[in-house]
Amino acid sequence: MRYDANVVEPLHENLFGQLHATYFDMFHRAKDYRAETDQIRGIFTREGPVSAVLDLGCGTGRHLELLAESWHEVVGVDRSGPMVRRARERLARFGDRARVVESDLFELSLDRRFDAVIMMFSLLGYFVSNERVLRALTVMGDHLDPGGLVVFDVEDATAVLGEPGPISGGSLRTPGARPLLTGHTTSVNPDEQVIEMALDMWELDGEAVHDQVHETHLIRYFARRELRLLLATAGFELLGYAGLAGETGNPSQPWLRLAWARKK
Amino acid sequence: MSTMMWPEATDPQSEVDQLVDVCKEHGSVGSVLDLGGRHRESLAAAGFDPVDAAGTAPGQTFDAVVLLGSAFGRQPEEDALRSTVDTVRHHLRPGGLFLFDVLDGNAVLSRRSHNRFTRVTDGATQLVTATRGSVDTDESVLRLDLQRWRLSGGRVVTAARETLLIRFFLPRELDLVLRINGFRLLGTAPLAGGEAAPAYRWNRLAWARAGADTEA
């Protein structure tokens, strides 16, 4: 396997910059955050109690907003400045109950612990190598007391490999002041055990290109048993693994599974 | 390890050639312990000094240990796998090479059907095998229900059933399992040597070095 941190990290370093952050919520309009958050909250109720939640890779703060609405105290972390700014705007109405920190996951040091740590949007898979996946799980564990919960979603190997054909598409829309041309291609690379997604965006100003970005997302898929072993190695016990809730507005939704585990 | 109920690989020599190539690629490999025992003569013919498990002296270590026939994946629990790998390590010199075959998770999970039918003719005898396969995606185990018939002289001479449970591994999962057990995965390749055994087509040869941090 050639996709180690030296290959993956330069590709992932600048994902979700200004242009992508501007249109992120539009791209994920069909994502059923409410159903996902209800599913997460159900796990908190069954396995908790949970009152303080840390969201690593919180993006624009959609899950956090829904958790904060239902009494939870929430802290979000993201390394993209433009995403953090959007999350802060979204969560401002909750006052002290919601906070967003701009930080790389591996440099994170919050001087406190939480009842649960969540990591959504398949973020765990973006770390690809065993070493970095285990480090990410360790960071999650560092912010929990024994008995604390982690909840995250992953791309499921059985679903990914059972699906014929890649998911691709493109469109020209005018969601705001300027036309936006976007395209994405998705393919499965079994030798590297990743989904490779290429995303192109051009923001137009008449005939001129006003802004553009090309992103490559490498996302590891996992077998359930493999995930159980990774979790055990990082000091967690896998409690459950189920389809991620929500309507399948996103064509890759059937690939996603929600996993939850307890810190030993 | 169970005795192989099916014929050996249709081309055992190419399997040995592959083992020899990998050994040569990774430095000086003179002594080889063949834990399955099925390639001893071919390995000797290729210039190695092979020994099977019965022929080892106490404390004797080898440049390479070979474990084929999906034996690595026949341990359903992590603890059983650990003890198998401990045995391998016990017989390896520091930095020695471990060569084994595993069922490829990508191949298993990509297939719609795992049912197979094979007929092998050996003189006047025919060996017929019907395999029904099913996948336990929670445990990453391929279950193979085999029915075998030996036909000779216009009648069924023997009939038998066997069920095999073989764990499969995704590439990074194999890397993880080896790390946890003190080995570093160096490479994998499709297993050469035909496909007479039920799961052969989905097997890969893997090679790993004892001592997780022996090299960068």
Side-chain angles (χ1 to χ4, degrees):
Chain A
M1 287 161 289
R2 296 178 302 107
Y3 287 4
D4 60 13
N6 294 330
V7 174
V8 175
E9 204 28 36
L11 290 171
H12 286 175
E13 209 163 31
N14 298 308
L15 299 185
F16 307 109
Q18 184 61 49
L19 184 61
H20 193 163
T22 301
Y23 293 102
F24 184 86
D25 284 329
M26 183 198 81
F27 292 151
H28 296 282
R29 202 171 35 210
K31 190 170 175 68
D32 195 342
Y33 289 96
R34 189 163 294 279
E36 290 181 15
T37 310
D38 285 347
Q39 189 181 18
I40 294 168
R41 210 185 278 117
I43 293 163
F44 290 171
T45 304
R46 285 199 305 279
E47 308 288 350
V50 171
S51 61
V53 181
L54 174 64
D55 183 356
L56 298 176
C58 66
T60 61
R62 300 282 302 269
H63 293 106
L64 286 182
E65 178 183 34
L66 293 167
L67 287 171
E69 276 177 4
S70 63
W71 52 261
H72 289 96
E73 184 203 349
V74 298
V75 174
V77 175
D78 207 287
R79 75 168 174 184
S80 158
M83 299 289 264
V84 164
R85 281 192 287 284
R86 281 171 183 274
R88 282 183 182 147
E89 285 165 23
R90 188 186 304 282
L91 298 169
R93 65 189 165 103
F94 298 104
D96 290 346
R97 210 140 55 75
R99 201 157 65 88
V100 185
V101 178
E102 183 178 338
S103 171
D104 186 281
L105 179 79
F106 297 121
E107 287 155 16
L108 182 68
S109 64
L110 300 174
D111 284 336
R112 58 163 297 186
R113 294 188 166 190
F114 297 80
D115 304 310
V117 179
I118 67 172
M119 181 182 277
M120 301 301 290
F121 274 105
S122 323
L123 177 56
L124 189 70
Y126 279 75
F127 299 115
V128 180
S129 69
N130 286 316
E131 187 196 349
R132 282 166 56 84
V133 168
L134 287 169
R135 273 178 64 204
L137 290 171
T138 302
V139 170
M140 295 168 93
D142 288 345
H143 291 87
L144 289 169
D145 287 317
L149 297 171
V150 288
V151 182
F152 55 92
D153 63 347
V154 291
E155 307 276 356
D156 175 72
T158 305
V160 168
L161 294 167
E163 195 69 31
I167 300 167
S168 298
S171 71
L172 176 63
R173 289 168 282 189
T174 307
R178 296 194 175 91
L180 184 71
L181 176 61
T182 61
H184 69 274
T185 59
T186 305
S187 59
V188 177
N189 181 340
D191 290 339
E192 295 291 339
Q193 199 182 322
V194 294
I195 296 161
E196 304 197 14
M197 185 180 70
L199 177 69
D200 285 291
M201 301 171 62
W202 294 269
E203 193 181 44
L204 305 177
D205 188 355
E207 301 288 294
V209 173
H210 180 258
D211 197 2
Q212 62 179 308
V213 71
H214 174 84
E215 294 184 355
T216 301
H217 300 233
L218 302 175
I219 313 166
R220 174 173 173 177
Y221 52 85
F222 299 89
R224 176 182 173 141
R225 181 171 188 166
E226 175 186 25
L227 202 56
R228 197 171 71 201
L229 185 57
L230 281 161
L231 284 162
T233 306
F236 292 94
E237 182 196 0
L238 180 65
L239 299 175
Y241 187 78
L244 183 65
E247 291 299 311
T248 58
N250 177 346
S252 68
Q253 182 87 3
W255 291 358
L256 297 173
R257 298 289 179 276
L258 192 69
W260 57 102
R262 193 186 301 285
K263 183 178 174 179
K264 285 186 251 184
Chain B
M1 215 174 86
S2 80
T3 56
M4 292 294 158
M5 286 189 64
W6 51 82
E8 289 290 324
T10 48
D11 186 7
Q13 188 56 48
S14 64
E15 199 170 283
V16 170
D17 291 346
Q18 188 183 22
L19 291 173
V20 170
D21 286 347
V22 171
C23 286
K24 283 181 177 161
E25 189 190 330
H26 290 280
S28 61
V29 173
S31 60
V32 179
L33 174 63
D34 183 4
L35 282 176
R38 67 195 220 184
H39 290 312
R40 195 147 74 95
E41 289 171 14
S42 307
L43 285 166
F48 292 95
D49 175 23
V51 173
D52 61 24
T56 59
Q60 188 179 3
T61 60
F62 298 84
D63 297 329
V65 173
V66 176
L67 183 68
L68 292 177
S70 293
F72 189 83
R74 300 280 197 94
Q75 276 74 210
E77 301 305 324
E78 307 289 347
D79 287 350
L81 182 59
R82 180 168 304 127
S83 85
T84 296
V85 175
D86 282 346
T87 302
V88 170
R89 190 189 301 99
H90 180 71
H91 289 297
L92 270 180
R93 69 165 168 79
L97 208 56
F98 174 32
L99 301 100
F100 58 100
D101 64 330
V102 286
L103 198 48
D104 174 12
N106 280 314
V108 170
L109 294 173
S110 299
R111 291 183 69 86
R112 291 277 171 276
S113 166
H114 297 87
N115 298 342
R116 289 198 69 190
F117 177 81
T118 59
R119 189 181 68 179
V120 176
T121 302
D122 179 13
T125 300
Q126 296 194 84
L127 280 166
V128 177
T129 307
T131 307
R132 207 175 59 219
S134 55
V135 180
D136 180 343
T137 55
D138 284 355
E139 293 300 322
S140 293
V141 169
L142 176 66
R143 176 191 168 107
L144 296 172
D145 291 301
L146 300 159
Q147 290 191 72
R148 300 183 46 80
W149 299 269
R150 184 185 295 272
L151 309 176
S152 188
R155 54 190 292 272
V156 176
V157 181
T158 55
R161 285 170 182 270
E162 188 181 12
T163 295
L164 302 177
L165 301 176
I166 310 175
R167 179 176 175 185
F168 54 84
F169 298 84
L170 292 171
R172 293 184 186 277
E173 182 178 18
L174 184 62
D175 174 76
L176 175 70
V177 166
L178 288 165
R179 269 164 195 260
I180 289 171
N181 288 291
F183 280 83
R184 193 164 56 86
L185 181 63
L186 299 175
T188 72
L191 187 66
E195 51 175 83
Y200 239 70
R201 194 184 302 193
W202 316 310
N203 271 23
R204 293 181 78 85
L205 181 70
W207 50 99
R209 203 181 290 287
D213 302 315
T214 48
E215 284 172 32

